[in-house]
Amino acid sequence: MSSTANMELKSKEFALVGFLAIAVAVLAALFPNLGANADGNVDWISIPLVGFPIIAGVILLAFASQESRATQKKIAAPIRLASLCFSLIPLGISTALFFDWLIAVDWAILGYNEYVLDSQYLWMESIGVSWHVGMDGLSFPMVWLTTFLVPITMIMTWDEKDGATYHPILLLMGGALIGVFVALDLFMFYIFWELTLIPMFFLILKWGGSDRRYAAQKFFIYTFTASLVMLLGLITLYFLQPEGNGPFHGTITGRTFDMTTLFANAAAYNLGDNVFLGLEMQKILFVLLMIGFLVKLPAVPFHTWLPDAHVQAPTGGSMILAGVMLKMGAYGIMRIPIAIFPDALVYYQDVIMAIGLISLVWGSVVCLGQTNLKKMIAYSSVSHMGVILLGIASMQPLGYAAALFMMFAHGIISPMLFAVCGAFKHHYHSMEIGDMRGMAKWSPFLSVYMMFAWMASLGLPLLAGFVAELMILLAYWPIYGWWILLPGAVLAITAGYFLWSMQRTIFEGGDEGQPPASLNGETPPDITMPENIGMIILAVFTVIFGIFPFIALGMMDDWTVALFEGVFNKGGI
């Protein structure tokens, strides 16, 4: 690199450092107490978990995007290493919070609408918008899962092309996802909800397959349109709520976007035969919100964007999409409409059950006809999201805890599924089931990981997926009785398509196997060291949460009990 080029690079580095200083100054001016909450305690959410990954990702992206392609290749290694190191900071904080190293949290004593690390700062005083963050037994598992998956995804896809921009986008994605899970203000929630679309759109568009433009556009149109419908419901809810004069109510509108205030008002009104906003309005708003969440989940018939997105997305995009982003839909359902509109939930209970059953059955049956590995896994995700809806439709504390644990378990297992698919594509240049036969001979490590991930997804005992499926079946029986045979039969179908794909890919082909023609006679390779490290970590945690589910299930049970005591019991339902 010439001296002139070095000087230009240093000038840009200086400009970026200056930009970072200005950004920090602006944040300090807008939120002078952002480092501490109202009690003077450290705010471990706003800056380290949400703000830092986003700001660091944007700065790294801005730095890399100013350079030529040749320079980007030279700086890719330090940028991806910096991105990985930055992603480990939120993971360290969330893990420290779990082990009570930063603060002591007793999840069992948290009541309904109570949160730890609750911090609130006034933002837009005129309309009642505040930066309000906090965590409970619903959000914390999703926060930890996000901080866990982002560095794992970076490691798994360490050698992804254009790493100078790819890894910062993953970092930015992680911060946006955490923002969704910790937001306790509807305005903030929607901002982060939409923000997650941008990095995923570019991940698919730039690093995707041959039809990536179609898949990226379809993903964006489906999810963005559904988000607008959800926004209509949120705005309507904002204007229909009773006026107030609290510190976080708008000085002009007299209303607030604060979730905790809305939840408290709804719970206080839903006593006896009273229905917050009236049953008819509850039903309308419930549908508007559910459309936004069901498309993101996704559930049948809103699922068609998912297979295209997964097939075309890069490995890292599929891992984050399946591991965390789909869970935003289920999280949104449990966080907002269930808490505010319990009567509407009871009214639509059988509809939600039907959507869950159809998604479960349809996803499994369609898997039987797939020849593309990624598409098969994508449809299996639709089926598993149907299981989550069945847990919600059960209207039982056990079912809600099971749905939460399914979200968490699927968030660990599905990234491993797509990591296996990505490694298969990377090393064999094909995604077709049966193109490679006898993989056990040529790629023993990849074969072992495929078998493990497939078994975990079909619900093998002592692995995380089995616990969630068993709990949901137990919660399903008291409400729907012998209808339990249908989801039970689907589990057998799930085992069928996973075993069929393993048989053709791993074991057939004779003693020498049948490498795909796409290798052009080259010796089939096994997976790389970064892929090995990532898959081992995912496998270990799948076993840990399968044998010791109470590690995560305890706080989920506590949150579920608090929800039913605060919403359904007090609501007289």
Side-chain angles (χ1 to χ4, degrees):
M1 189 180 295
S2 66
S3 58
T4 303
N6 278 326
M7 290 180 62
E8 290 179 355
L9 187 59
K10 289 180 179 179
S11 298
K12 291 174 181 178
E13 290 175 345
F14 181 78
L16 281 171
V17 172
F19 174 78
L20 175 60
I22 294 173
V24 172
V26 170
L27 280 174
L30 293 176
F31 306 102
N33 299 316
L34 200 58
N37 58 22
D39 299 326
N41 298 319
V42 176
D43 181 354
W44 290 106
I45 298 179
S46 299
I47 295 268
L49 290 182
V50 181
F52 177 74
I54 294 176
I55 294 174
V58 169
I59 290 176
L60 290 174
L61 275 174
F63 178 68
S65 63
Q66 296 299 312
E67 305 303 325
S68 64
R69 297 280 294 182
T71 305
Q72 284 186 15
K73 290 181 180 180
K74 293 179 181 179
I75 64 176
I79 284 184
R80 68 189 177 192
L81 181 60
S83 299
L84 177 61
C85 293
F86 291 157
S87 70
L88 292 175
I89 294 174
L91 175 60
I93 293 173
S94 63
T95 303
L97 289 172
F98 175 79
F99 286 109
D100 295 341
W101 295 338
L102 298 178
I103 61 169
V105 179
D106 187 351
W107 301 99
I109 65 173
L110 281 182
Y112 169 66
N113 203 22
E114 293 181 359
Y115 309 89
V116 295
L117 296 174
D118 189 343
S119 302
Q120 191 169 11
Y121 319 96
L122 191 60
W123 186 2
M124 302 181 191
E125 185 177 6
S126 60
I127 59 174
V129 175
S130 60
W131 177 280
H132 192 183
V133 294
M135 291 188 289
D136 57 5
L138 171 62
S139 56
F140 181 75
M142 295 296 103
V143 170
W144 184 88
L145 179 65
T146 304
T147 62
F148 170 73
L149 284 182
V150 170
I152 295 297
T153 302
M154 289 183 180
I155 294 172
M156 283 288 309
T157 56
W158 191 250
D159 297 321
E160 185 65 72
K161 65 178 183 179
D162 297 326
T165 52
Y166 170 81
H167 288 86
I169 287 180
L170 289 180
L171 188 64
L172 171 62
M173 184 77 185
L177 287 167
I178 294 173
V180 172
F181 298 130
V182 301
L184 294 177
D185 182 277
L186 292 179
F187 189 91
M188 270 183 61
F189 177 84
Y190 186 78
I191 292 295
F192 284 115
W193 183 275
E194 294 294 82
L195 183 59
T196 59
L197 300 182
I198 299 173
M200 183 57 65
F201 174 81
F202 284 107
L203 281 174
I204 299 173
L205 185 63
K206 184 172 182 179
W207 287 273
S210 57
D211 291 331
R212 58 186 180 274
R213 293 188 178 183
Y214 168 77
Q217 291 171 358
K218 188 174 183 179
F219 158 77
F220 192 86
I221 290 172
Y222 263 73
T223 53
F224 183 71
T225 302
S227 298
L228 291 178
V229 177
M230 181 182 72
L231 177 62
L232 178 61
L234 294 178
I235 293 176
T236 305
L237 173 63
Y238 172 80
F239 283 108
L240 289 180
Q241 67 175 298
E243 294 187 26
N245 56 2
F248 297 101
H249 283 74
T251 56
I252 296 177
T253 63
R255 295 171 175 84
T256 181
F257 283 97
D258 183 60
M259 288 188 193
T260 59
T261 302
L262 287 169
F263 297 162
N265 290 340
Y269 196 89
N270 285 325
L271 295 175
D273 296 329
N274 295 327
V275 178
F276 182 64
L277 302 182
L279 181 58
E280 293 304 315
M281 183 54 66
Q282 273 204 17
K283 291 191 291 186
I284 294 172
L285 294 177
F286 187 87
V287 169
L288 291 177
L289 297 181
M290 286 294 289
I291 288 175
F293 298 137
L294 289 176
V295 171
K296 181 73 75 175
L297 193 60
V300 176
F302 310 112
H303 67 289
T304 58
W305 65 268
L306 184 65
D308 291 316
H310 270 313
V311 170
Q312 298 303 321
T315 301
S318 289
M319 290 176 67
I320 295 296
L321 177 61
V324 185
M325 198 167 183
L326 300 187
K327 311 309 181 298
M328 288 167 52
Y331 173 84
I333 293 173
M334 294 187 175
R335 175 61 76 199
I336 301 176
I338 287 179
I340 302 178
F341 310 127
D343 295 87
L345 175 64
V346 173
Y347 181 84
Y348 289 114
Q349 179 182 8
D350 291 339
V351 176
I352 296 174
M353 187 276 293
I355 294 175
L357 269 183
I358 294 171
S359 299
L360 174 63
V361 175
W362 178 261
S364 295
V365 171
V366 173
C367 279
L368 292 174
Q370 301 306 313
T371 60
N372 184 288
L373 271 178
K374 256 195 169 185
K375 188 168 284 190
M376 184 188 77
I377 301 303
Y379 278 111
S380 74
S381 292
V382 175
S383 182
H384 283 102
M385 296 306 100
V387 174
I388 294 175
L389 286 179
L390 291 183
I392 294 174
S394 70
M395 294 288 291
Q396 299 289 317
L398 179 62
Y400 277 47
L404 277 174
F405 194 77
M406 173 60 81
M407 291 164 56
F408 185 79
H410 187 265
I412 297 176
I413 295 171
S414 60
M416 189 172 182
L417 293 170
F418 284 106
V420 169
C421 292
F424 190 87
K425 171 68 174 178
H426 178 70
H427 297 295
Y428 290 97
H429 312 300
S430 174
M431 289 299 300
E432 293 300 308
I433 300 173
D435 271 8
M436 173 66 200
R437 305 207 181 200
M439 189 171 68
K441 175 177 176 58
W442 300 103
S443 304
F445 282 99
L446 181 57
S447 300
V448 169
Y449 292 131
M450 175 180 278
M451 289 186 64
F452 181 89
W454 267 225
M455 291 296 181
S457 187
L458 64 84
L460 188 71
L462 298 183
L463 300 181
F466 172 77
V467 177
E469 292 177 358
L470 178 62
M471 291 174 61
I472 284 178
L473 291 177
L474 292 175
Y476 193 79
W477 167 260
I479 304 301
Y480 295 105
W482 290 107
W483 278 98
I484 196 175
L485 294 177
L486 187 54
V490 170
L491 297 180
I493 298 176
T494 303
Y497 60 73
F498 275 124
L499 294 174
W500 169 77
S501 63
M502 281 194 300
Q503 173 66 27
R504 298 193 67 192
T505 304
I506 299 176
F507 301 110
E508 290 183 359
D511 294 336
E512 296 300 319
Q514 297 177 12
S518 56
L519 285 178
N520 297 318
E522 298 177 7
T523 301
D526 209 345
I527 58 178
T528 62
M529 181 60 71
E531 291 170 333
N532 240 319
I533 293 173
M535 290 190 194
I536 287 175
I537 295 174
L538 291 172
V540 167
F541 277 89
T542 301
V543 174
I544 289 176
F545 289 109
I547 298 177
F548 308 107
F550 58 83
I551 296 175
L553 197 55
M555 67 181 71
M556 298 176 185
D557 285 334
D558 296 334
W559 178 83
T560 299
V561 171
L563 174 72
F564 272 75
E565 289 179 351
V567 174
F568 299 112
N569 290 349
K570 289 185 179 181
I573 297 175

